[in-house]
C-alpha cells in the first residue's frame, strides 16, 4: 500500500474575518508532531462585499432568507478554494500531493448553551473537495457540541503537542478576534478557554472611526487614554465571571454591546479602553486559573500590536510574554496549522478535542470528511 502524503493544508477565517489563513504543513509519519514543518502559508483576502455580509451576520444579524444562507455557504467555500489553490500554486505543489484539507470555515453563530446547543460554520466542504480535488475535512466543532462540549477552543491539543515543557508552567494565548488560552502546566491536565474580545472590537471600532480595517501598530489606541469608568462598565459583563469551560464570539461581543455602555467618551479613548479590556481580561484569567505561569506564548493578529503586547506585559510583570515565533511557530498561522493537524487526526481516527478544555463528555473524532 502506498504511504499517505504527509502534506496537509489548513484553512481558517477567524472571528475578525480579516482574511483566510492557509497553511501547508508537512508532518512526520505516525502520531508525533516533532519535526513538523510549515511548507508555505498565506493570508488570502476576502471579497469586501462578502466579508461585510459575513461580519454583519456574525455580529447577530440575520440572513435575509434561507436562500441567502445557502448562497453564502457556497461562496465561502469558493473563497476557501481560491485560498488553497493560491497557496499550492505559489508553493509549486500539485493538489494530488496533499493528503487532505482541514477547513474551519467561517463562524456565523456559536451558541453552545441552551435547550438546543449549536455552532454554525459555513464554507461548503463538498465545494472545496470538488474544486480542489483534495479530500476535505470540515465541521470540526459540531461533534464536540453534540457531546456536551463548547466546541471551542479546539487548538489546545495542537498547542500541547508542540509547546508543552516539563520544566515550567506555560500558557499559549491566541489573540484573534476573540482571545483564548491554552494552559500547559509542566505536569497535569491541559486546559483552555476563551477570555473574551481581542481584535474583533478593536478592529470594528477602528474601522468605524478611522476607515482603517485595523489599528496598525496600536496607534489609534495610543492616541487616547483609558477611561477607567468605561473599563469598569465593560468588565461588569457577567460572561467574564463564568468559570471554564467557556467560549464566545462576535455575536456576543460586538459594537452594540460597546455602545450600550458608552457615556459620550472620545473615540480614541474608547479604543484605548477596549485595548485595556483585552489586556485586563487576559491577565485576570491567567491569574485566576494558572497563577504560577512562567511564560505566555502569543499568536494571532494581536501579537503585531505593540501597544497591546506592552499592556499584557505590564499586567503580567512576573511572566515572560513572547511570540510563538521564538519557538518556531509563525504566530500568524498557528491556527491554520492546527486545522491541518486536526484533519490529519480525523483521517487517522484519532480524537481532536480535549474534554477538559471543551467540557465534552469525552474525546471525539471530529469533523466530516468529503472525499476527493
Amino acid at each position: 500500500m502506498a504511504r499517505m502524503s504527509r502534506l496537509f493544508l489548513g484553512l481558517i477565517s477567524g472571528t475578525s474575518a480579516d482574511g483566510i489563513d492557509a497553511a501547508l504543513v508537512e508532518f512526520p509519519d505516525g502520531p508525533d508532531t516533532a519535526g513538523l514543518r510549515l511548507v508555505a502559508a498565506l493570508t488570502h483576502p476576502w471579497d469586501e462585499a462578502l466579508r461585510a455580509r459575513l461580519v454583519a451576520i456574525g455580529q447577530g444579524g440575520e440572513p435575509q432568507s434561507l436562500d441567502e444562507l445557502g448562497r453564502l455557504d457556497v461562496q465561502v467555500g469558493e473563497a476557501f478554494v481560491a485560498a488553497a489553490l493560491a497557496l499550492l500554486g505559489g508553493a509549486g505543489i500539485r493538489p494530488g500531493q496533499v493528503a487532505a484539507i482541514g477547513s474551519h470555515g467561517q463562524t456565523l453563530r456559536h451558541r453552545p448553551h441552551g435547550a438546543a446547543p449549536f455552532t454554525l460554520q459555513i464554507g461548503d466542504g463538498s465545494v472545496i473537495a470538488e474544486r480542489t480535488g483534495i479530500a476535505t475535512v470540515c465541521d470540526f466543532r459540531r461533534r464536540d457540541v453534540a457531546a456536551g462540549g463548547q466546541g471551542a477552543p479546539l487548538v489546545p491539543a495542537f498547542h500541547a503537542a508542540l509547546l508543552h515543557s516539563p520544566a515550567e508552567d506555560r500558557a499559549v494565548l491566541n489573540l484573534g478576534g476573540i482571545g483564548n488560552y491554552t494552559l500547559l502546566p509542566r505536569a497535569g491536565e491541559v486546559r483552555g478557554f476563551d477570555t473574551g474580545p481581542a481584535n474583533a472590537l478593536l478592529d470594528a471600532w477602528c474601522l468605524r472611526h478611522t476607515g482603517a480595517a485595523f489599528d496598525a501598530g496600536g496607534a489609534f489606541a495610543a492616541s487616547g487614554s483609558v477611561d477607567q469608568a468605561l473599563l469598569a462598565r465593560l468588565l461588569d459583563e457577567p460572561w467574564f465571571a463564568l468559570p471554564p469551560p467557556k467560549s464566545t464570539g462576535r455575536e456576543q461581543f460586538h459594537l452594540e454591546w460597546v455602545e450600550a455602555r458608552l457615556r459620550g467618551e472620545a473615540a480614541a479613548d474608547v479604543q484605548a479602553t477596549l485595548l485595556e479590556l483585552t489586556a485586563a481580561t487576559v491577565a485576570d484569567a491567567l491569574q485566576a486559573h494558572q497563577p504560577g505561569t512562567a511564560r505566555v506564548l502569543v499568536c494571532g493578529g494581536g501579537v503585531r500590536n505593540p501597544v497591546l503586547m506592552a499592556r499584557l506585559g505590564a499586567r503580567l510583570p512576573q511572566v515572560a510574554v513572547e511570540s510563538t515565533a521564538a519557538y518556531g511557530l509563525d504566530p500568524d498561522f498557528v491556527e491554520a496549522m492546527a486545522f491541518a493537524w486536526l484533519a490529519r487526526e480525523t483521517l487517522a481516527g484519532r480524537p481532536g478535542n480535549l474534554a477538559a478544555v471543551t467540557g465534552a463528555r469525552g474525546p471525539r473524532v471530529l469533523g466530516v470528511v468529503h472525499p476527493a
Side-chain angles (χ1 to χ4, degrees):
M1 180 182 294
R3 179 172 63 85
M4 177 183 287
S5 168
R6 299 188 300 182
L7 292 174
F8 288 78
L9 197 160
L11 296 168
I12 182 170
S13 174
T15 309
S16 295
D18 51 0
I20 301 166
D21 291 336
L24 184 65
V25 184
E26 182 178 33
F27 290 94
D29 290 326
D32 292 339
T33 55
L36 96 174
R37 182 172 70 95
L38 179 62
V39 176
L42 59 77
T43 298
H44 189 76
W46 282 106
D47 171 83
E48 280 303 317
L50 177 57
R51 178 187 183 273
R53 192 68 190 123
L54 294 171
V55 169
I57 297 174
Q59 291 184 153
E62 295 293 338
Q64 294 172 351
S65 64
L66 189 58
D67 281 353
E68 185 192 25
L69 185 59
R71 285 194 301 272
L72 288 172
D73 192 27
V74 172
Q75 289 172 330
V76 171
E78 296 280 13
F80 274 47
V81 167
L85 295 180
L87 178 65
L88 294 178
I93 301 292
R94 299 187 311 276
Q97 295 175 261
V98 180
I101 291 171
S103 175
H104 172 271
Q106 181 66 50
T107 299
L108 292 189
R109 285 291 186 279
H110 184 65
R111 305 287 198 204
H113 303 292
F118 73 95
T119 185
L120 177 62
Q121 288 76 41
I122 64 170
D124 189 341
S126 292
V127 168
I128 298 172
E130 184 67 26
R131 305 287 191 270
T132 63
I134 302 170
T136 299
V137 189
C138 59
D139 259 343
F140 288 96
R141 300 190 185 277
R142 290 175 22 145
R143 181 61 188 273
D144 187 87
V145 172
Q150 295 277 315
L154 293 182
V155 180
F158 180 68
H159 290 159
L162 269 67
L163 295 170
H164 175 266
S165 170
E168 63 184 8
D169 290 348
R170 290 180 174 178
V172 182
L173 172 64
N174 176 52
L175 290 174
I178 297 295
N180 55 70
Y181 265 132
T182 299
L183 303 183
L184 302 174
R186 67 190 92 179
E189 197 168 53
V190 176
R191 292 171 292 154
F193 52 89
D194 286 354
T195 60
N199 297 324
L201 292 182
L202 291 170
D203 292 351
W205 189 258
C206 184
L207 178 63
R208 174 175 291 183
H209 290 278
T210 72
F214 64 97
D215 186 6
F220 186 30
S223 72
S225 300
V226 175
D227 186 300
Q228 294 297 333
L230 173 59
L231 180 62
R233 291 194 296 274
L234 296 170
L235 287 169
D236 196 42
E237 164 61 47
W239 186 89
F240 294 125
L242 293 175
K246 63 179 183 177
S247 58
T248 189
R250 190 191 286 272
E251 71 277 2
Q252 178 166 3
F253 291 108
H254 45 68
L255 286 187
E256 289 76 11
W257 178 83
V258 175
E259 289 164 345
R261 290 154 178 82
L262 298 182
R263 303 292 184 269
E265 296 83 359
D269 292 347
V270 174
Q271 186 78 359
T273 307
L274 291 174
L275 185 144
E276 193 68 18
L277 173 69
T278 296
T281 50
V282 163
D284 290 350
L286 190 65
Q287 289 159 353
H289 299 291
Q290 191 172 274
T293 300
R295 193 175 310 277
V296 172
L297 306 176
V298 187
C299 58
V303 76
R304 308 293 184 191
N305 186 327
V307 180
L308 177 55
M309 292 292 285
R311 290 307 304 151
L312 288 174
R315 283 186 171 266
L316 295 168
Q318 306 305 317
V319 180
V321 179
E322 54 191 359
S323 167
T324 57
Y327 294 82
L329 287 177
D330 187 323
D332 291 327
F333 296 104
V334 171
E335 283 207 303
M337 292 175 70
F339 279 88
W341 177 82
L342 281 166
R344 175 176 177 255
E345 298 305 284
T346 299
L347 294 188
R350 293 188 292 261
N353 65 336
L354 293 175
V357 170
T358 67
R361 287 184 284 273
R364 298 290 188 270
V365 178
L366 304 178
V368 176
V369 180
H370 300 267

